[in-house]
Amino acid sequence: MASGTQRQNYTASDVILLLPKFGDLDSDIRFMSLVDLCNILNAGPPTLLQNDYNTTAKVIDCLLKSLDDTNGDVQSQALKSIGPLGLKAPPEILCPFMEKLTNLETTKSLDSSIPATATRTLVVSFPRPVTGIEPSKPARDAYSAISKVLIPRLLGYLVIPHGIKGLPEPPRGLLEIDPEKGTNVDAVDLLYETVRCFGPMLQDVEKQALQKRLTEILDDDHTGNIVKKKVVTVISILALYFSDNLLNKFISTTTDRFQDPDSTPEKRRLLISMLGSVARSIPRRLGPYIQHLASYVLHPLSRDYPNSDFEDFDEDGAGNQAMEDVKEAALITLEDFLASCSNEMRPFTSEALDAGLRYVVYDPSTALDDEDEEMDEMQSDDGEVNDEFGLEDEDFEEDAAMSEGDDSSWKIRRCAAKVLYTLISTRGSGDLLENGTLYERVAPILIKCFKEREESVRLEILSTLAALVRKTGEAGSAMTASHDDEGYASGSQIANSRKRRRGGSDASMFDTKVPMLSRDMVSPTESPSPTSGPCADLARLSSSIVRGVVKLLKQSSIVTKQATVTLLKDFVLVQHGGLTEHLGQIIDPLMDATRSSSTSFGVHGIISSGGAASATGNPLRIEALELLRAICDTHATRYLGPYMARIVPGMLLAVNDKYPKVSGEAISVAESVVKSITPPRSSGSEGQLQIYLENIFDTVLDVVRANETDLEVRQSAIHTLGTTLARSSGSNTSKLLPAAKRSQGMDVLQERLKNETTRVSAIQAIDSIVQSSMYKEELRPTWVQGISLELAGQLRKSDRNLRASSLVALKHLTGNPAALECLDNKTTESVAELVLPVIEVDSLGLLGLAMSVTADLAKLRPREVVENDLNRALCAIVVTPLTGTTLEGFLGLVEAIGTSGAGQPLMHMLLRDVGVSGDPGIVGSAIGTLLVSGGSSVLVSITDIMKELRHAQDDQRKCLALSILGEASLRLKQSSPLQPKDFLEHFNSKSDQVPRAAAVALGRAGAGNSTVYLPIILEGMENSEDMQLLLLHSVKEILQYANKSSIDLNSYTAEIWKKLMKISESEDNKAIGAECVGRLISIEPKRYLPSLQEYLQDPAPSVRGMAIQALRFALTDADETFDEVLKPLLTQMLSTMLNDAELENRRLALITLNAATQNKANLVLPHLSQLLPLVMKESELNPTLVREVQMGPFKHKVDDGLEIRKSAYETLHALMETAFPRMSASDLFDRVVAGLQDDHEIRMLCNLMLTKLTVLDPEETLRRLDSIAERYQGILSIKLKDNAVKQDVEKAQEANVDVLRVTVRLQTAFQGSLSSTGHTSAQIWKAYREWVGKEFKTQLQAAESSVKFQR
């Protein structure tokens, strides 16, 4: 049956038929019968043995005998059958089954772990409870058996009396300590699985008894270290389910044990390790106890610790090792405390820092007092590192032979380096970096430790210093624009540098991608070094860092070289250069690192890497090439020039490397070199540079042509080829490339444009060339015509990225006069026909560009472009809601058609076919634009529109006519024949639409002729409130246009300000008045911004609210002059707003802060520490704002603080994306996790934030998984009432889908960490994930598919 097909209708009789075979003399038959039994139990129905106690008992007896079988395969198959049998067995038989398993004695098998393994298999197979959810009946039955049988069997006594008298006492407990053998390790493993699976159901008395027994095992001297390590892990898992009272008792007992005067170093080490494991397991709950526990961890790391305790312990030398073990455990736990409870550890920062610095240079042969004195002497008065570091003429490897084989002090130094790394990671964005502590105390020590003889320690040292350098860069990058170049990570990914292997000490702990500077078109300039701050501190240490890394590059192993290069790359990118004076020292060893392992690494490098030079050398070469690219991007050409003779040959050698990643990175370096030796960064006239350029061109061209080249490498080469041709264009004084080579390269790009795999890269390369070629002789007409048709032809493809890239390149081509002149009539007509299908509503994202391209073509050859099909397409578009750049592109095309004299058919269609069917404002702007640009050729005049306005009967036609007149007056400016009265007379219309249209038209006309219109508008603002509101719209149009053009309003601004402030006091006028005030401030900030600050203190809440909104509008339209005035005022203004007594005003203040973060980040972020606590406070639920409202017979709770909390979370989200390095990750996670229990919209936003935090701070996200799991369980467990309305049902479904998607993302992101051996945290998350997989299987699969598709 084992080889046959699986049946689904098994019964107990099928099991009975197998029973005789279990005792067969043939082991193969016994094995196959167990296989058949396992198949039946797995495939059979849940009720297979539920009511057949006799058969179940016989099967159990047979399995017990099979577990003691002499054949190993039979034993293994019997173990596999234990779990399925436990799921099918009657609940009443679970207790006897478990009792027989735990008391099983193996007489035939040599494996004594079989009983514990079988019991563990049974426990793991049981249905498990989930924290926060009512356990199912099978889970309760399983726990009953565990509570009645397994726990007493482990402990040796009954923990919970079950009321049955006359039962024999339990046998000797499995966890009882044997005086000779110690504790059974298999029993500890069994307890681990029991607690992991059924921890939520264990009662406090059981947890306390188990914790007591585990503590006794730790105290026993006969128990081995392996068992004790496992016991510490079990305690950390058990602590997850401690009640508050039990946790308090556990901490109290632990502190008492620390204070025991008879405590040995071994016991002290175990206690300290246990605290570290518990900190990783329950960081949030352990936080309040840190102030009592930290001193016990820090005490062994103090200078006088060896002399204060265990003075007589080291007579035979064994005590020294015991002391070192205590110190190592203390450092590991200190790292756990700093990482898991960073806020609670702030009071102990000084002690933690002292410990890390003391033991990172720890050497048993040197007195600690002497080390402390060295630490004080390592820095001179001016902050420069002394030569006492030993970096001069020091062989970093020669000390390795001096180390003794039994010297394990390197473990302490490595742990100390990790402590410093964690301190930098958790506190490097705040006070320790800003006040200079990290650079004054930590950095000099780390640089000294470059000569560390143990490689794993040296790698940790380099990693720690690299983390400090990156943190310095984060502090600076938070105030500058993000850098977005290919090959390097974005600014937000700098924060990802926290992600590292906790236990690893190899080059893989370094980030292989770091942010790159934007590729400016000018040579990097030498900016004066800052006089203070982290960047200044780093600059002062640059010489010492370079001296150290040069030594490492020359003498170290491959992995150390890779870590060194990564450190140097971080240094270059953070300093935006910084190696000007040291290039002579760096270039030679760097170029050696870029060569293949067979030619660059000597015997020492190969031996150090274990002989696998080729396997480990390529990552080093890639890192070295990335560093070389960063150097070329950040240093001026005049400094790089002398070294090009060494850079270019080595780079070109790497371009032809057989490894694609090496070749691809080398091509990127070639692109950076091209930029550095060509105008405008270089004059390009030096003959040697031209030779370099031609060599690069030839090599890259060969890569592009080669069919065997890797696709990604070829795409990178195409991009570099385009850059080379582009940077050698536009100059009529020197020919950097011969015409033949240039023509050859352009033809290759045109050929690659026709290849599907390289088409996008070729388009981008051609785009660069077209933008840079300013002279007609640089572009062959046949080439321009060919690529124009090819680009336009791509617009019919379905690939949106391809269409967008093609349209952008086509726009740059038509926008370049030199290229546009190369188009003949036929090509122009063909391109216009190919672009026309994009001019439709369905292509809204590409519509603006397509119309702009068509406008350029229409200006050149209107007869070939302007046809009825184009006019019909424009008429179809004008009836849709157009805004922003799309509207500008539409009006630009209409103007181009009118200017060309071909606008009459379009005017006819707009008036006849469109008319009032579209938005009068958009249609009116189109007609008004065409009327002015086309002049008499359109056969329509302003007089005709005025007649239509007078005789129109319906409001829509009047609104359209007014819009046309307003747009025409704006464009005609002072030559417009219209007067203000022509618009004002329609203010009194009884229609709701006409007065508003007249007001907007009046404003647009006033923007074209402010000297005539503005005085009349200001005079009219003295009238009724209705008139004031309409005129506010007119003023808004004038001010909005004034921000975009050079209208001089200086003679009117004082009166406008006065009128606006008076009118805006009305509640009806506040919103539009605030917008006008904001736009006026952006025009004259020096005059009115201080006045606005005074209005923030006005006693009237409505006035303060108007002032807050006005600042928000001002931030969006401001220029550099505005920033200079705003800079000293903004922080105080925002602080005043956020502390406003009015709830609505504080909500508006949060929106304003959000706008300031997006538009004026450089002004806000330096003062974020003052503003962020106010935002955090508003994100908290305020019970005083929740009130109960009676609605008929029902009572309903209304939360007046909901809207302000939404705004607070939106602001936190915006700040997280722009200034995460300046935020406290712990505080932010507190708010995000709390928001998962808030209103539906806040939950959705917090889920989005959580997804992004997975990338920004993976370590903290991993620590918060348990808290997240508890919130998600609550959301998924919500059961709606049968009479729930449709809206509530849809919200619940949307919330569940969103939760499941985030669950999938989190599980995917941390799959490796969660499944790693020994990982004790996130146990609640694991249980939640299993529960979701069972209860929401179908929805979870849909979520997995959705997430996979989005990737």
Side-chain angles (χ1 to χ4, degrees), residues 88-106:
K88 297 295 193 297
E92 294 80 5
I93 212 169
L94 291 180
C95 286
F97 185 17
M98 189 171 290
E99 182 179 7
K100 289 184 177 182
L101 282 177
T102 55
N103 293 321
L104 176 66
E105 294 184 2
T106 55

Side-chain angles (χ1 to χ4, degrees), residues 399-513:
D399 290 338
M402 298 171 58
S403 61
E404 299 180 2
D406 57 352
D407 180 16
S408 60
S409 62
W410 63 269
K411 297 180 181 178
I412 294 179
R413 296 195 297 275
R414 184 177 65 178
C415 292
K418 291 182 178 181
V419 168
L420 295 176
Y421 181 97
T422 305
L423 260 176
I424 292 170
S425 298
T426 57
R427 301 287 301 282
S429 300
D431 52 339
L432 292 184
L433 185 64
E434 297 297 335
N435 62 20
T437 300
L438 294 178
Y439 276 104
E440 290 176 3
R441 300 189 58 191
V442 178
I445 301 293
L446 295 177
I447 297 173
K448 174 195 174 183
C449 293
F450 281 180
K451 64 179 182 179
E452 167 65 44
R453 61 180 179 269
E454 176 64 33
E455 184 167 64
S456 63
V457 182
R458 189 164 61 240
L459 288 173
E460 286 290 344
I461 296 294
L462 293 169
S463 173
T464 303
L465 185 57
L468 177 56
V469 173
R470 287 194 296 271
K471 284 293 180 181
T472 305
E474 290 174 7
S477 65
M479 295 181 289
T480 58
S482 62
H483 307 299
D484 56 350
D485 212 329
E486 58 182 330
Y488 289 89
S490 63
S492 63
Q493 288 174 300
I494 309 176
N496 205 17
S497 61
R498 291 187 182 185
K499 188 173 182 179
R500 62 193 289 267
R501 296 183 184 177
R502 171 186 160 77
S505 294
D506 53 42
S508 63
M509 70 178 64
F510 290 82
D511 294 322
T512 58
K513 293 184 178 181

Side-chain angles (χ1 to χ4, degrees), residues 1278-1303:
I1278 295 176
K1279 303 297 182 183
L1280 297 177
K1281 297 180 180 179
D1282 295 336
N1283 60 348
V1285 297
K1286 181 180 179 181
Q1287 184 181 11
D1288 291 340
V1289 174
E1290 291 176 350
K1291 278 187 176 182
Q1293 292 175 347
E1294 185 182 6
N1296 288 355
V1297 169
D1298 203 37
V1299 164
L1300 292 175
R1301 285 176 181 169
V1302 180
T1303 298

